[in-house]
Every structure is written in structure tokens, then in C-alpha cells.
Amino acid sequence: MSTVAPAGALPSYSDVLARYEPVIGLETHVELGTASKMFCGCATAFGAEPNTQVCPVCLGLPGSLPVVNEAAVRFAVMIGLALHCEIASWCRFARKNYFYPDMPKNFQISQYDEPLCTNGWLDVEVEGEVHRVGITRVHMEEDTGKSLHVGGATGRIHGATHSLVDYNRAGIPLVEIVTEPDVRSPEVARAYVDELRELIRALGVSDVRMEQGSLRCDANVSLRPRPAPGDPDAPFGTRSETKNLNSLRSVERAVRYETTRQAALLDDGQRIIQETRHFDEASGRTSSGRSKEEATDYRYFPEPDLTPLALPAEYVERLRAGLPELPAARRARLIAEHGYTARDLQDLRNAAVLDLVEETIAAGAAPATARKWWLNELARRASDAGLQPRDLKITPTDVARITALVAAGELTDALARKVIDGVLAGEGTPDEVIAGRGLAIVADDSALTAAVDAALLGAPDIAEKVRGGKVNAVGPLVGAVMKAMKGQADAAAVRRLLLERLGVS
Ligand SMILES: Nc1ncnc2c1ncn2[C@@H]1O[C@H](COP(=O)(O)OP(=O)(O)OP(=O)(O)O)[C@@H](O)[C@H]1O
Ligand SMILES: [Mg+2]
Ligand SMILES: [Mg+2]
């Protein structure tokens, strides 16, 4: 019988922390963005028709032989280097044997006791405090296929009437990045995955889309009684492993839920059983999966169909020298060069958006405005449209031009958004859109004066209040004028004009 959720209410998280210390280790699987699979030439594109990207090798048909994809090795080494790992000059692939329908070969080619990269670290900052998370190893393996359980009410394997398998994903190169059990809170667990994702994005070796499964995380959680903080000798408790978390939020929620679930069991005098668990987004709870295989169950042995990998030192050093600027170094430079604060950069972490912000600054925009428009407007529009920000039909030069017009008082923010609409719709450059749509600010002309008069007539009571000295009561009048002008006026100028008319300024 595996661990069940305890009966009754769970303790609160703060109550758990007073009595137990959470111990957390994370395993992250990242699909590498190679054009072809790990051991064959099949394509790796996401979303293709099921079973169209398969061949005898990735289907494990008799007589087929794997060949290592050099790009996958290169990408894995780059990840290891960026995580300060030692890169093995010699390593081997291993067969991990288990039977599962989405594994056509009945084994997975992975690495076991001779991984490619070992012994690194990643620094993670949470609320101004830096936490160093040890990286135990980064090893290479191949992804499995995907099963889809259909029929029945739940869409889950239990109750489904039959299962479909898609082997397109089988054989896509993966790295598994395993941390030491160094993490002590759900917040740091989340921040670690976030930082790791940005690091890998900056390396350009994966599209790291958690929602599409190209980066997925397993969270190992155990508790040990306090007082233990800082006592490296206090023994760890038994861990549970919550599988396949597919958003940063889920990582944090699942870890927090596990701490309270385990605390309730321990309080009740029960043992924690080592098992895999699944996180349910809707309820925020985990439920028991299978009890955990021991390494011996997998009957690992060196993969006989592949020669060991021997990486020349020059190969590794060439990759080290070619690493791009990594997120931590980039943040430090952006703070020094552009006057951003660490806080400004907290929500501006996506390297792809940062590239565009920097290009917009280079095209003449002020750093604060470049950040504002990319973050609040364009990155959001890209994500709404399911696009990468770079794929939006607007250039950094266009954005810089729009911010210059806003700074010069020729566009309001509302008008600037309409200019962006036009540019994205392919109506031309910002200046062409402004001319084509007639979008410049109407300053001080008869239309504006008429709108101001109408607003004053329409709300005599407010006008009276403002006249009597309640200057801030003017807000609704400004709103009425802006509405009448369809946003084509400068709110500050409208406010000035209204106050002038009312004899207070
Ligand atoms: N007592 C513990 N509490 C919390 N985390 C732990 C504990 N012991 C080990 N861990 C973490 O669990 C993870 C174990 O991952 P690893 O890949 O080595 O093995 P596994 O989970 O047994 O195998 P598999 O890759 O098949 O899931 C590591 O991140 C490690 O830090
Ligand atoms: Mg693992
Ligand atoms: Mg594991």
C-alpha cells in the first residue's frame, strides 16, 4: 500500500516550517533543439501528425543501429559548461531497461554511472539572497514516445477504453540535469527552474517551453525535523518524487503541497514511502503514482551498440570559449550600463525579450521606455498570439521611433498602442501608420476645445467642485474629454486646459 493523503486538514505551511525543514532536489529534463533525433536522422518538429517522424532506429526494429548526433553532444556540453560542471573526457551510454508502451525498444538509451557532466552549480537569487544549488550531473538520454488514453470518462489510463501511442517524440535528444538535495524552500525550487530555463534559452540549445514539455521538472521532497538548519549531518528523510511539472507555478505549488502532506503523515506517526507522485493542477494536490523502481530494477548496462564518447580537450575548450553571455553576467551588465535595478530585471528575464530591449536601446530609446514597451505590451501580445517576441512584425527601430514620438508629446500611450496595431497589421512603418490612420495628437485645436466645453457642460456639479478648489475632482472630466477625443489627445494637456477653463491652475 502506498502513501495516501492523510485524513483531515493539512497543517499550514508556516506551521510545517516551524517543526520541519524541507529538503528538495530537482531533476529537469530538457529536449535539445537539434534538427534531427539523438540516434537517427528523423526530424524533431513539434506537433507533426502522429508517427510521421519515425524510422527503424527510433522504433527499435531488429537490425537497426544507433549513431550519436554530434549536435546533441555539443549542446549537452554547453549546458554542462554553463553550469560550471566538469566535462568527462570519456563517457558511455547505458541501457536503462523497462517495459512501457511508449518505449518501442523496451529500453531507453541513457547514461548511468558515466555521465557527460558532473559536479557543477547554479546560483539562484530570491529576494536579494543568493542560494547556490549544486548540480550532481548532466547526462544525455533519448525521450520516449507519448501515450494518449482515450474513451471512458476521465481521459486517464484508468477508465480509458484504449490507448494510442505516438512515437514522434521517441528518440528526441534530452539532457537530464540533476541537483544535489540543496534546495530548502518552494520559492527557491521555482527560482532554480526559472534561472535554469533562462540559462538554457540564452545558450540557444532548446526552446525550453514548459507548456509543450520541452522542459519538465521532477521535484524530490523530504522533510527532516528541526532543529537542523545548517546541520549538514542531520539525516535526510525519505523523499517522494513528483513527476513532470510543466510550469514554474506548478513546481512551487507541488513542493509546498508535498511538505504539508508529508508533515501530516509524520505528525501522525506514519512513514513516508519512496514513490513517484503526480500533481493535479486543478486541486493543487499530488497523488500516488507507482512505487519507485530501484536502480537495480532497470538492469543498467553499457550500451553495446554505441562506442564510448571520447571528447578531446580542444573540443570542450572551443565550446567554452564560444559560450554566449549568460543571464547572471548579462543582468550585472544591464544594471551597470543602462541603470536598471535588479527589480527591473526580475520580470525581464527572457533572453529573447532582453535581446529586443537592448536592440531598441541601441536604436535610440531610453532604457526604461524600451523595457516598458517590450514587457508590458509587445511580449504580452506575442504570447497571446503564440509567437516568439522576435516573430512579431515590428522591429526594434520601429519601437524606438514610437517611444521617441511619445517622449516628444506627439503620441499618447493609447495612440502608441494603435500605431503598434497598425505596424503589426503590416500597414507600414510607425510614421506611415500615423499618416494612414490619422493618429497624431490633436493639440489645442477646435475639436479639443469643443470636447472640453462639452465635458464641462455635461457635469456642472464636478466643474463646480473643481472651481471650489478640489483640483483632483477633475479626473472624470479628463476621462470624458479623452473619450470624446477617442484617445487622440494628451491627457496631461487636457487636464491643464480644463483647469485653465475653470480658473484653477
Ligand atoms: N532525501 C532526499 N530528499 C529530497 N531530495 C532528495 C533526497 N535524496 C535524493 N534527493 C534528490 O533526488 C534526486 C534523485 O535523482 P536521480 O536522477 O539521481 O535518481 P532517481 O530519481 O532515483 O532516478 P530517475 O532518474 O529514474 O528518476 C536528486 O535531485 C537528489 O538531490
Ligand atoms: Mg533522474
Ligand atoms: Mg528521479
Side-chain angles (χ1 to χ4, degrees):
M1 171 81 192
S2 59
T3 337
V4 290
L10 296 182
S12 75
Y13 183 63
S14 56
D15 177 38
V16 171
L17 285 191
R19 289 174 295 124
Y20 298 100
E21 183 184 42
V23 171
I24 302 152
L26 299 156
E27 298 164 73
T28 310
H29 285 95
V30 180
E31 276 183 9
L32 299 175
T34 52
S36 59
K37 290 189 180 178
M38 180 79 221
F39 300 113
C40 63
C42 287
T44 56
F46 180 82
E49 279 291 298
N51 298 308
T52 54
Q53 295 169 348
V54 291
C55 75
V57 174
C58 54
L59 289 178
L61 299 184
S64 63
L65 281 175
V67 177
V68 175
N69 180 343
E70 187 271 337
V73 176
R74 181 164 19 105
F75 288 0
V77 171
M78 286 166 69
I79 292 172
L81 289 170
L83 291 170
H84 315 94
C85 288
E86 293 153 27
I87 310 298
S89 55
W90 189 94
C91 70
R92 260 196 298 203
F93 289 96
R95 262 188 202 187
K96 182 177 183 180
N97 297 278
Y98 63 101
F99 173 77
Y100 208 71
D102 62 13
M103 269 227 318
K105 295 194 289 224
N106 284 348
F107 62 84
Q108 180 184 28
I109 303 182
S110 181
Q111 294 192 295
Y112 182 49
D113 49 356
E114 295 158 310
L116 184 61
C117 320
T118 49
N119 213 6
W121 49 267
L122 180 64
D123 279 346
V124 174
E125 197 176 322
V126 176
E127 288 179 4
E129 204 182 318
V130 175
H131 303 259
R132 179 155 295 188
V133 180
I135 303 292
T136 314
R137 62 174 199 272
V138 180
H139 72 243
M140 309 187 65
E141 57 188 32
E142 54 179 339
D143 212 344
T144 58
K146 255 194 247 183
S147 329
L148 183 65
H149 307 294
V150 296
T154 61
R156 303 275 306 262
I157 191 162
H158 301 293
T161 54
H162 52 292
S163 295
L164 304 172
V165 214
D166 174 9
Y167 290 126
N168 284 352
R169 200 179 69 179
I172 289 191
L174 284 182
V175 289
E176 178 175 336
I177 301 162
V178 182
T179 77
E180 291 291 298
D182 283 349
V183 174
R184 293 289 177 271
S185 72
E187 295 81 10
V188 175
R190 175 194 181 126
Y192 162 81
V193 180
D194 191 9
E195 185 70 11
L196 181 66
R197 183 174 67 168
E198 293 316 324
L199 182 85
I200 293 170
R201 202 197 310 269
L203 292 170
V205 299
S206 168
D207 63 8
V208 289
R209 294 197 190 191
M210 292 187 84
E211 72 289 355
Q212 289 186 358
S214 58
L215 186 151
R216 34 191 207 267
C217 182
D218 305 340
N220 297 270
V221 178
S222 67
L223 296 182
R224 61 179 171 181
R226 290 199 191 270
D231 175 0
D233 298 327
F236 290 148
T238 302
R239 67 179 159 121
S240 68
E241 178 176 357
T242 305
K243 287 282 195 190
N244 287 332
L245 298 163
N246 63 3
S247 72
L248 296 179
R249 184 160 174 267
S250 297
V251 171
E252 184 173 343
R253 289 173 80 208
V255 169
R256 182 166 292 133
Y257 177 78
E258 267 305 290
T259 59
T260 54
R261 184 189 68 86
Q262 293 184 15
L265 288 168
L266 294 172
D267 287 347
D268 194 37
Q270 298 192 44
R271 275 183 328 116
I272 305 300
I273 292 169
Q274 186 171 332
E275 63 179 351
T276 62
R277 299 185 67 87
H278 301 291
F279 180 63
D280 177 52
E281 228 36 86
S283 66
R285 295 170 181 209
T286 63
S287 59
S288 179
R290 57 192 154 88
S291 64
K292 183 71 193 170
E293 285 89 351
E294 295 293 326
T296 46
D297 294 336
Y298 291 131
R299 303 179 312 283
Y300 280 105
F301 60 86
E303 170 57 58
D305 289 346
L306 288 166
T307 54
L309 269 185
L311 300 183
E314 312 83 74
Y315 175 84
V316 174
E317 290 317 310
R318 200 166 58 241
L319 292 179
R320 193 194 303 277
L323 288 183
E325 183 181 38
L326 299 175
R330 184 173 204 182
R331 285 196 293 271
R333 180 177 61 74
L334 289 173
I335 288 169
E337 269 180 18
H338 299 312
Y340 288 125
T341 63
R343 215 189 170 76
D344 289 337
L345 298 177
Q346 217 142 53
D347 41 10
L348 189 60
R349 300 174 59 78
N350 183 325
V353 180
L354 271 174
D355 287 345
L356 291 159
V357 168
E358 287 213 67
E359 290 166 36
T360 305
I361 296 171
T369 24
R371 170 181 177 279
K372 173 181 131 177
W373 284 98
W374 277 107
L375 194 62
N376 300 347
E377 194 65 33
L378 294 160
R380 193 178 47 73
R381 290 196 194 210
S383 105
D384 288 351
L387 293 173
Q388 292 295 323
R390 171 76 63 190
D391 298 334
L392 286 175
K393 300 244 170 305
I394 192 166
T395 65
T397 311
D398 293 337
V399 180
R401 174 67 182 152
I402 292 168
T403 63
L405 290 168
V406 174
E410 289 175 44
L411 289 177
T412 59
D413 281 8
L415 283 178
R417 277 184 207 103
K418 291 189 181 164
V419 177
I420 290 171
D421 290 340
V423 175
L424 292 178
E427 291 167 26
T429 64
D431 290 288
E432 285 163 359
V433 172
I434 291 166
R437 293 193 177 196
L439 287 178
I441 280 181
V442 182
D444 214 45
D445 70 356
S446 54
L448 184 58
T449 321
V452 165
D453 287 343
L456 289 173
L457 277 175
D461 45 334
I462 298 182
E464 203 44 52
K465 255 194 223 161
V466 179
R467 264 195 210 96
K470 289 205 164 157
V471 175
N472 284 336
V474 79
L477 295 177
V478 178
V481 175
M482 292 301 289
K483 193 168 170 208
M485 298 297 295
K486 299 199 168 64
Q488 244 164 303
D490 178 26
V494 168
R495 185 184 154 96
R496 259 195 319 275
L497 198 60
L498 278 162
L499 293 178
E500 239 171 69
R501 280 301 187 83
L502 291 167
V504 276
S505 42

